[in-house]
Amino acid sequence: MENEYKYRVVAWWTSGQTGIAKSEVAPSAIHFAAPPLFGGLEGRWTPEDLLMTALASCFTTTFHAIAECSKFEYTDLAVEAEGAVSKADNTGYAFRAIVIRPTLTIPHEEQRERAFNLLHKAKTLCLVSRALAIPQEFEARVEIGKHSPV
């Protein structure tokens, strides 16, 4: 498909209560664990943290691209993403709410309305935010024998 870009991450459980995730494009692996509430280790990224990181960082990069194309100057942008997880009836735990809180600092008051418009545009165009609403394909494999991490 023309204009299609693929991103690949491999994660594997290493030992005990921790795992490692690695990307082909990043030099460092990320050590992760289940949240401490579910028996994971303190001080490790959790899948839930990484999802919020994906949302916040995607919003940040999307806004930056929009601002650059729009020749909009800003001083700072901090984006907080917060997810609330609770136990559902019979389906286990699930995200029940996600809030994205961008705080944009601009040099001039007269830019305020345009700033809000660009922030809303970034929310609409954020790839990760939009991806959470699409159905996911599941391609499971089972292999026999020893497998080494990629």
Side-chain angles (χ1 to χ4, degrees):
M1 173 184 256
E2 190 174 319
N3 292 327
E4 179 179 79
Y5 307 96
K6 293 189 177 188
Y7 300 88
R8 181 174 175 262
V9 173
V10 177
W12 61 95
W13 204 249
T14 54
S15 65
Q17 296 297 320
T18 189
I20 295 176
K22 186 176 180 188
S23 168
E24 296 171 333
V25 299
S28 300
I30 295 173
H31 295 265
F32 66 90
L37 175 68
F38 299 116
L41 297 175
E42 290 281 342
R44 299 288 172 129
W45 286 92
T46 69
E48 297 81 1
D49 293 326
L50 293 169
L51 179 60
M52 294 302 102
T53 302
L55 281 167
S57 62
C58 184
F59 186 96
T60 303
T61 57
T62 301
F63 181 84
H64 179 74
I66 291 168
E68 194 171 74
C69 287
S70 301
K71 297 181 180 12
F72 181 80
E73 293 183 29
Y74 63 99
T75 308
D76 191 32
L77 174 63
V79 180
E80 176 186 348
E82 180 179 49
V85 174
S86 62
K87 191 167 186 174
D89 296 332
N90 294 328
T91 58
Y93 287 87
F95 276 94
R96 295 291 171 221
I98 294 175
V99 180
I100 299 170
R101 295 185 187 100
T103 302
L104 181 65
T105 305
I106 57 175
H108 307 291
E109 173 63 33
E110 61 269 10
Q111 295 176 308
R112 180 181 296 275
E113 185 177 341
R114 187 168 179 222
F116 274 112
N117 289 338
L118 293 176
L119 287 167
H120 285 285
K121 186 173 185 178
K123 169 59 177 93
T124 302
L125 296 176
C126 174
L127 293 174
V128 173
S129 182
R130 292 187 340 213
L132 294 177
I134 66 167
Q136 300 168 15
E137 291 184 31
F138 184 66
E139 299 175 354
R141 293 185 301 206
V142 175
E143 297 178 354
I144 307 300
K146 190 173 182 166
H147 184 357
S148 62
V150 175

